[in-house]
Amino acid sequence: MSKYDELYNIIKKEITTEQLLPGAKLPSIRKAAAIYGVSRTTVQNAYFALAADGFIISEPQSGYYIAYKKAKKTEEKKQTGKRNILYDFKSGNADKNSFEFNLWRRYMKNALRQDEKLLSYGEVQGEYELRDVLSDYIREKRNVISSPNRIVIGTGHQSLLGILCSLIDEKGTVSFPDKSFVQGASLFGDYGFDVKYRYKDADIIYVSPSHMNKRGDVMPNRRRIELVEHSSKNKSLIIEDDYESDFQYSGTPAPSLHALAGGGNVVYISSFSNLLLPSIRISFMVLTEELAEKYERELYKYNQTAGKTEQIALSQYIRDGHLKAQIRKTRRFYTTKTKNFAALLSEEFKNAKIEISENALKIIMRIPFSKSLDVFEENGIAVLTESYENGILKMILNPSAVNEDAFEAAIQALKQVLN
Amino acid sequence: MSKYDELYNIIKKEITTEQLLPGAKLPSIRKAAAIYGVSRTTVQNAYFALAADGFIISEPQSGYYIAYKKAKKTEEKKQTGKRNILYDFKSGNADKNSFEFNLWRRYMKNALRQDEKLLSYGEVQGEYELRDVLSDYIREKRNVISSPNRIVIGTGHQSLLGILCSLIDEKGTVSFPDKSFVQGASLFGDYGFDVKYRYKDADIIYVSPSHMNKRGDVMPNRRRIELVEHSSKNKSLIIEDDYESDFQYSGTPAPSLHALAGGGNVVYISSFSNLLLPSIRISFMVLTEELAEKYERELYKYNQTAGKTEQIALSQYIRDGHLKAQIRKTRRFYTTKTKNFAALLSEEFKNAKIEISENALKIIMRIPFSKSLDVFEENGIAVLTESYENGILKMILNPSAVNEDAFEAAIQALKQVLN
C-alpha cells in the first residue's frame, strides 16, 4: 500500500467512526505532513482522494472540512407528475396496429448482426447506404432531385437546422408561418437570425406546405408557385419542411416546392417519425449545391446524431420497398380511424360543428362549453383546445394514439365533460 | 377522371411521344384554357402537376417550358475515395474482441420487444430510467452528485453543448485547452461566444482532465484543485468533459472536478462510445442546479436526439452491472494491447524513442525520417503524425482498431516506411 493510501485510510476511518465530526476543519497540508510524518505531496494526494470520494470538502482559500454525511442524491426523484390520461387526443403517438412491428424488428436485428459496421464510427453526414436509398426515394416520390452527397442525416429536425444555421453566413431575417414551431424559431434566434412571422421578404422562409398549422391545412398549389416565384425573385432561401406530405388524401399530392423551384433555392427537410414509429427519429435534409459544398468543406465541425444501427436498418427497409407499403397502410389506417371517430362524434354531439382536417388526421370540433378547461384532464382526456370564444370551444382532436376499441369509452368520457 | 387529370395526361403524352420537344414553351394558362376548352384553374392545376412530376419547368415571369428529360440524379455518386487502409492506427475504432457483442444484442432485442414504449415519443430530456441509472452510476464512480432531473441525454457531445450554449444567457468568453476540439469551439463561436485558448480568466472553461491532448495526458491533481479554486473565485463555469477517465491505469483515478468543486459551478459531460461501441453515441451532461431549472422551464425548445431503443437497452445494461464489467474488460484489453505493440516497436526500431501515453491507450514514437509523409498511406497505414522537426518524426499510434493477429504484419509495413 502506498503512503497516501495509508493516510487516506487513517483519515477515512476517523471520519466514519465519527472521531472527526462533520464540519470539523482538517489540519493544513503542511501541518498534517508534520503530524503524520509524511511528505506534503502525500497529504495533498490523500486529501484529493478523500474529497473526490465525498468524505471531505475543499473550501477555496480556507482549507479542508469534514463533509456532512456522504451525499445521497440531493433531490428527490420527481414523479412524472402527469395525470392519468386514458384518452390521448393530443400527442399524435402511434397506434400499434398501424405499424408492422415484427418486420421492423427483423431489420433492426439484421442490422445488429453487422458487427464490422457497428464497430466503427459512422459517417458524419449519415451512412452512405441510407443517403443513397433516400436520394432515389425522394426523387421518385416528390421529384426532389439530389445526389446522396447533398443529403445530410440527423435525429429530428432541430439537429439538422442547427447545422443549416451554422452553414449560412449572413444571419439575416428568417420567417416562420406562426409561433407554433418554437424549437425552430428559438434555434435561429440563438444563432443570431432575426426571427419574424409571415414575413414574405425574409432572407429565409421556413414553410411546411403540407401541414401549415395545428389543424393540418395544406398550402394550395397557387400559393406554392407564388412563393417559389417570389423567393426566386428575392433570392431568398426556402426551407421546405415536408412534414406529413404523405398524409394527403384528397386529390393529387401537391408538388414539393423543391420540385417547383427546380431545386435552386430550396432546402428540403423531412423525416419518418410519423410514418413509422415516433421512436425512430431519423430526419434528413437536402442542401442546395452551394450549401452542400460548404458543408463538405467544414465537415470536421459536425457530428452525426442518428444511431448507426437504426440508419442501417432503415436503409435496408426502404431498399426492400417496405416504406412505400407502410405509408399506404398508415394512410389508409389513420384516414379510416379519423373518419370513424368523427362519425361517432357527430352522432353523439348534435350541437357541435365537426370537420375533418385536410390531411385527414385531425378532427376540428366547435361546441358550446361553460366549464373549466381542467375538466378534460380530470376525466382522463388529453386534447388540444385551440380557442374559447363566445361560449364556443374549438378543439383539435387527433385520434391516432387512441385504440379504436376505446372509441366508445372515449365518447362516454367526452360526454361527461361536454354535456 | 377529373378534367385536369385528363389535360395532364394529354400534355404528358405529347411530351413523352416527343410531339412537344424539350425547351419548347407551353401556351400561357389563359391561352391553354381557350385551346383545350377548360377553365384556367384546370390548366393551372395540370401545369402544377406536370411541373411537380418533372415534365415541365416553371420559369418565373416567363412561363412554362418542356423539361430536358426527366431528371436523373444530377451528380455522380461519389466514391468514398479512401485509400485502402490495412493498419489503422489513427481512428480509435474498437477491436471487436473488446466488446461482448452478443450481450449487447440481447439487450437491444429486449428493448425492441417493448412495443408500448417504442410507440410513443420519448422524453425530451432522455428516458427517465436511463437518467436514473446514470445518476447512481456517476455518484458511485466519480462522486458526481446529481438527481436524474439534472441529467440531460443526447447523441454525442455536440448536441448537448448546443443545448448548453442556448441555456447560457451571457455569451462571454469560453476557453478551450487547444485547437483540437474544433466542433466545440465552432459551436460556441456560432452561438456568439468569444472563443479563446488556455485563457484561465474565461467565463467558461472547457476541460477534459483525463485526456488533455492528442497524446492522452492526464491533468495532475494539483492542477485540478487549482482550477477548481480559481474558477470558484472567478465565478466562472467549468465544463468538465470526462472523456476517457475510465482509462486511467496508473495510481488511483484522479478525482472529477465536479466532485472537487462540490458540484457548484461545474457542468459534467461524458459518454460511452469508447467504452462500448463507437456506434453507440449516447452522451449525457449533468447541469448545475441553476441551468437545470432554466432547462426545465424551456424544455419546449428542445428535442431528444438519442434513439429510444438504445436508451432503453443501455439503461437495462447498466442496471444489470454490465457497464462496470465491460469497463474493466476494455481497460485490461487495451492496456495489454498497447503494451504488446509498444514492445514489438521497441524491438524492431532500435533508433526510435517510444513512450506509452498516461492513459495507456496510445504510443508516442519519435524516429528519424526522411521520406514524404504520403508513404504511410501508400503502404496501407493510417497514423497521426504530430510533428516533424530536425529530421525527427513524432507519431501517435493508437493500436485499438488493429487486430492483435495483424501486429506482425503491421510492423513489417511500418518497416517498409521507416527504414
Side-chain angles (χ1 to χ4, degrees):
Chain A
M1 210 189 280
S2 70
K3 274 190 186 161
Y4 94 83
D5 276 333
E6 269 178 59
L7 183 57
Y8 172 97
N9 286 331
I10 292 168
I11 301 174
K12 180 178 160 186
K13 203 177 161 195
E14 288 177 346
I15 297 169
T16 51
T17 57
E18 299 193 332
Q19 292 172 54
L20 286 170
L21 287 171
K25 193 177 178 184
L26 282 168
S28 71
I29 288 170
R30 182 195 301 257
K31 251 190 192 157
I35 296 170
Y36 297 103
V38 292
S39 74
R40 282 189 216 168
T41 314
T42 304
V43 176
Q44 176 88 77
N45 285 335
Y47 279 14
F48 278 141
L50 287 163
D53 292 342
F55 292 107
I56 67 175
I57 283 166
S58 150
E59 288 289 343
Q61 271 105 34
S62 164
Y64 291 89
Y65 295 84
I66 311 301
Y68 285 87
K69 296 260 162 69
K70 186 147 162 57
K72 299 236 178 62
K73 289 183 196 181
T74 46
E75 299 148 49
E76 275 305 293
K77 287 184 189 182
K78 203 168 58 177
Q79 291 306 313
T80 45
K82 278 180 202 155
R83 287 297 185 90
N84 197 12
I85 295 298
L86 298 168
Y87 313 106
D88 171 8
F89 292 102
K90 194 172 178 182
S91 71
N93 279 345
D95 182 323
K96 70 174 166 188
N97 297 316
S98 75
F99 184 64
E100 280 192 62
F101 225 127
N102 286 325
L103 185 67
W104 174 248
R105 254 191 287 267
R106 210 163 71 212
Y107 277 87
M108 279 294 278
K109 281 182 191 170
N110 187 39
L112 281 167
R113 271 195 293 270
Q114 301 175 35
D115 292 25
E116 291 297 339
K117 281 188 190 161
L118 300 180
L119 281 164
S120 57
Y121 286 97
E123 284 188 64
V124 170
Q125 195 167 352
E127 294 305 294
Y128 186 86
E129 60 178 298
L130 178 57
R131 290 185 281 123
D132 192 28
V133 294
L134 285 175
S135 149
D136 291 336
Y137 179 82
I138 54 176
R139 179 163 42 87
E140 197 183 313
K141 198 144 197 309
R142 304 294 285 140
N143 203 35
V144 171
I145 314 292
S146 166
S147 85
N149 302 322
R150 272 167 53 193
I151 298 178
V152 182
I153 312 284
T155 317
H157 283 16
Q158 209 182 13
S159 62
L160 293 175
L161 292 176
I163 293 172
L164 191 56
C165 283
S166 81
L167 286 175
I168 297 168
D169 288 326
E170 285 282 333
K171 317 290 183 200
T173 48
V174 57
S175 164
F176 286 88
D178 59 35
K179 301 208 169 182
S180 68
F181 187 36
V182 191
Q183 301 183 338
S186 69
L187 188 69
F188 275 85
D190 282 341
Y191 271 92
F193 289 88
D194 186 8
V195 176
K196 303 195 174 269
Y197 297 92
R198 300 189 154 277
Y199 175 54
K200 74 188 175 85
D201 290 329
D203 301 308
I204 300 169
I205 294 169
Y206 191 100
V207 276
S208 181
S210 302
H211 189 269
M212 292 202 301
N213 47 38
K214 288 181 200 164
R215 287 185 307 278
D217 288 344
V218 176
M219 186 184 284
N221 283 349
R222 186 172 301 274
R223 175 82 193 94
R224 287 181 195 232
I225 209 132
E226 277 166 16
L227 177 60
V228 163
E229 285 178 353
H230 187 78
S231 306
S232 155
K233 206 168 50 185
N234 259 16
K235 300 197 188 312
S236 54
L237 180 75
I238 296 175
I239 303 172
E240 176 180 24
D241 178 351
D242 209 20
Y243 183 65
E244 285 191 353
S245 73
D246 291 298
F247 285 108
Q248 231 180 291
Y249 305 93
S250 42
T252 41
S256 69
L257 301 176
H258 195 280
L260 286 174
N265 62 332
V266 178
V267 169
Y268 175 90
I269 181 165
S270 187
S271 81
F272 301 105
S273 327
N274 62 336
L275 289 172
L276 302 171
L277 278 187
S279 58
I280 303 174
R281 302 215 37 254
I282 296 179
S283 292
F284 64 97
M285 69 177 166
V286 177
L287 293 173
T288 63
E289 215 170 298
E290 196 188 333
L291 290 169
E293 276 164 21
K294 186 154 186 234
Y295 176 77
E296 203 183 331
R297 280 198 305 277
E298 299 184 352
L299 197 63
Y300 59 87
K301 282 167 66 173
Y302 304 108
N303 260 318
Q304 180 50 244
T305 47
K308 204 168 175 184
T309 319
E310 280 186 350
Q311 288 187 63
I312 294 169
L314 183 58
S315 60
Q316 294 165 356
Y317 180 91
I318 298 175
R319 181 199 63 198
D320 296 347
H322 297 304
L323 182 60
K324 275 184 228 158
Q326 180 61 39
I327 288 172
R328 280 194 300 273
K329 195 186 160 190
T330 309
R331 188 191 299 157
R332 214 178 319 120
F333 182 89
Y334 285 120
T335 329
T336 311
K337 208 168 156 176
T338 310
K339 282 183 185 156
N340 291 351
F341 194 67
L344 285 177
L345 285 172
S346 305
E347 209 170 284
E348 199 61 55
F349 303 103
K350 303 286 184 198
N351 58 343
K353 195 169 162 264
I354 289 160
E355 281 172 275
I356 291 179
S357 69
E358 281 187 72
N359 65 12
L361 286 177
K362 289 166 189 174
I363 298 164
I364 301 118
M365 178 164 166
R366 289 179 184 78
I367 193 162
F369 187 77
S370 56
K371 303 179 189 170
S372 147
L373 287 173
D374 297 334
V375 77
F376 286 98
E377 215 176 297
E378 284 162 21
N379 281 273
I381 301 166
V383 72
L384 189 68
T385 49
E386 199 185 51
S387 65
Y388 182 39
E389 275 167 31
N390 307 323
I392 300 290
L393 182 66
K394 183 175 169 194
M395 296 184 282
I396 297 168
L397 296 125
N398 180 343
S400 72
V402 180
N403 195 294
E404 201 144 355
D405 293 341
F407 274 7
E408 273 301 341
I411 292 279
Q412 293 311 315
L414 278 168
K415 270 171 76 175
Q416 291 292 324
V417 173
L418 296 172
N419 286 346
Chain B
M1 211 189 282
S2 71
K3 273 190 188 160
Y4 94 83
D5 276 333
E6 270 178 58
L7 184 55
Y8 173 97
N9 285 330
I10 291 168
I11 302 174
K12 180 178 160 184
K13 204 178 160 193
E14 288 176 347
I15 297 169
T16 50
T17 57
E18 299 193 333
Q19 292 173 53
L20 285 171
L21 288 171
K25 194 177 176 184
L26 282 169
S28 71
I29 289 170
R30 180 195 300 255
K31 254 190 192 156
I35 295 169
Y36 298 102
V38 294
S39 74
R40 283 189 216 166
T41 314
T42 304
V43 177
Q44 175 89 76
N45 285 335
Y47 279 15
F48 278 141
L50 287 162
D53 291 343
F55 293 107
I56 67 173
I57 284 167
S58 150
E59 288 289 342
Q61 270 106 33
S62 163
Y64 291 89
Y65 295 83
I66 311 302
Y68 286 87
K69 296 261 163 67
K70 187 145 162 58
K72 298 234 179 62
K73 289 181 193 181
T74 46
E75 300 149 49
E76 276 304 294
K77 286 183 186 180
K78 203 171 56 179
Q79 290 306 315
T80 45
K82 278 181 203 157
R83 288 294 185 89
N84 196 13
I85 294 297
L86 298 169
Y87 312 106
D88 172 7
F89 291 103
K90 194 174 177 180
S91 72
N93 278 345
D95 182 323
K96 69 174 168 189
N97 297 316
S98 75
F99 184 63
E100 280 192 61
F101 225 128
N102 286 326
L103 184 67
W104 175 249
R105 256 192 286 268
R106 208 162 75 212
Y107 278 87
M108 279 293 278
K109 283 182 190 170
N110 187 39
L112 281 166
R113 271 194 292 273
Q114 302 176 33
D115 292 25
E116 290 298 338
K117 280 188 190 162
L118 299 181
L119 280 163
S120 56
Y121 287 96
E123 284 188 67
V124 170
Q125 196 166 352
E127 294 306 294
Y128 186 85
E129 61 178 297
L130 178 57
R131 291 186 280 123
D132 193 27
V133 292
L134 284 176
S135 147
D136 290 336
Y137 179 82
I138 54 175
R139 179 162 43 86
E140 198 182 312
K141 198 144 194 314
R142 304 294 284 140
N143 204 35
V144 171
I145 313 294
S146 166
S147 85
N149 302 322
R150 272 168 52 194
I151 297 178
V152 182
I153 311 285
T155 317
H157 284 16
Q158 208 182 14
S159 62
L160 293 175
L161 292 178
I163 293 172
L164 190 56
C165 282
S166 82
L167 286 174
I168 298 168
D169 288 325
E170 287 282 333
K171 317 290 183 198
T173 47
V174 57
S175 164
F176 286 88
D178 59 36
K179 301 209 168 179
S180 69
F181 188 36
V182 190
Q183 302 184 337
S186 70
L187 188 71
F188 276 86
D190 282 342
Y191 271 91
F193 289 88
D194 185 9
V195 176
K196 303 194 176 267
Y197 297 93
R198 300 188 155 278
Y199 176 54
K200 73 188 176 86
D201 290 329
D203 301 309
I204 300 168
I205 294 169
Y206 191 100
V207 276
S208 181
S210 300
H211 188 270
M212 292 202 300
N213 46 38
K214 289 182 202 164
R215 287 185 308 277
D217 288 343
V218 176
M219 187 183 283
N221 283 350
R222 186 173 300 276
R223 174 82 191 94
R224 288 183 192 230
I225 209 133
E226 276 167 16
L227 176 61
V228 163
E229 284 179 353
H230 186 78
S231 306
S232 154
K233 205 167 52 182
N234 259 17
K235 298 196 191 313
S236 54
L237 180 75
I238 295 174
I239 303 173
E240 177 181 24
D241 178 351
D242 210 19
Y243 182 66
E244 286 191 351
S245 73
D246 290 299
F247 286 108
Q248 232 181 290
Y249 305 92
S250 43
T252 40
S256 69
L257 301 176
H258 194 281
L260 287 175
N265 59 334
V266 179
V267 170
Y268 176 90
I269 182 164
S270 187
S271 82
F272 301 105
S273 325
N274 62 336
L275 289 172
L276 302 171
L277 277 187
S279 57
I280 303 173
R281 301 214 39 253
I282 296 179
S283 292
F284 64 96
M285 69 177 166
V286 177
L287 293 172
T288 63
E289 215 171 299
E290 197 187 334
L291 289 170
E293 275 165 20
K294 186 153 186 235
Y295 176 79
E296 202 184 333
R297 280 197 306 276
E298 300 184 352
L299 197 63
Y300 59 87
K301 283 167 66 173
Y302 304 107
N303 259 318
Q304 180 50 242
T305 47
K308 205 168 175 183
T309 318
E310 281 186 350
Q311 287 187 62
I312 295 169
L314 183 59
S315 60
Q316 293 166 355
Y317 181 92
I318 298 175
R319 181 199 62 198
D320 296 348
H322 297 303
L323 183 60
K324 274 183 229 159
Q326 180 61 40
I327 288 171
R328 278 193 302 272
K329 195 185 160 188
T330 309
R331 188 190 301 158
R332 214 179 318 121
F333 182 88
Y334 286 119
T335 328
T336 311
K337 209 168 157 176
T338 310
K339 282 183 185 158
N340 291 349
F341 194 68
L344 286 177
L345 286 172
S346 306
E347 210 169 284
E348 199 60 55
F349 303 103
K350 303 286 185 200
N351 58 342
K353 197 171 162 260
I354 289 160
E355 283 173 274
I356 292 179
S357 70
E358 280 189 71
N359 65 11
L361 285 177
K362 287 166 190 172
I363 298 164
I364 301 117
M365 178 163 165
R366 289 178 185 81
I367 192 163
F369 187 76
S370 55
K371 303 179 188 169
S372 147
L373 287 173
D374 297 335
V375 77
F376 286 98
E377 216 176 296
E378 283 161 22
N379 281 275
I381 302 165
V383 72
L384 190 68
T385 48
E386 201 184 50
S387 66
Y388 183 39
E389 276 166 32
N390 307 323
I392 300 290
L393 181 67
K394 185 176 169 192
M395 297 184 281
I396 298 168
L397 296 127
N398 181 342
S400 73
V402 180
N403 195 293
E404 201 143 356
D405 293 341
F407 275 7
E408 273 301 341
I411 292 280
Q412 293 311 315
L414 277 169
K415 269 171 77 174
Q416 290 293 323
V417 173
L418 296 172
N419 286 346

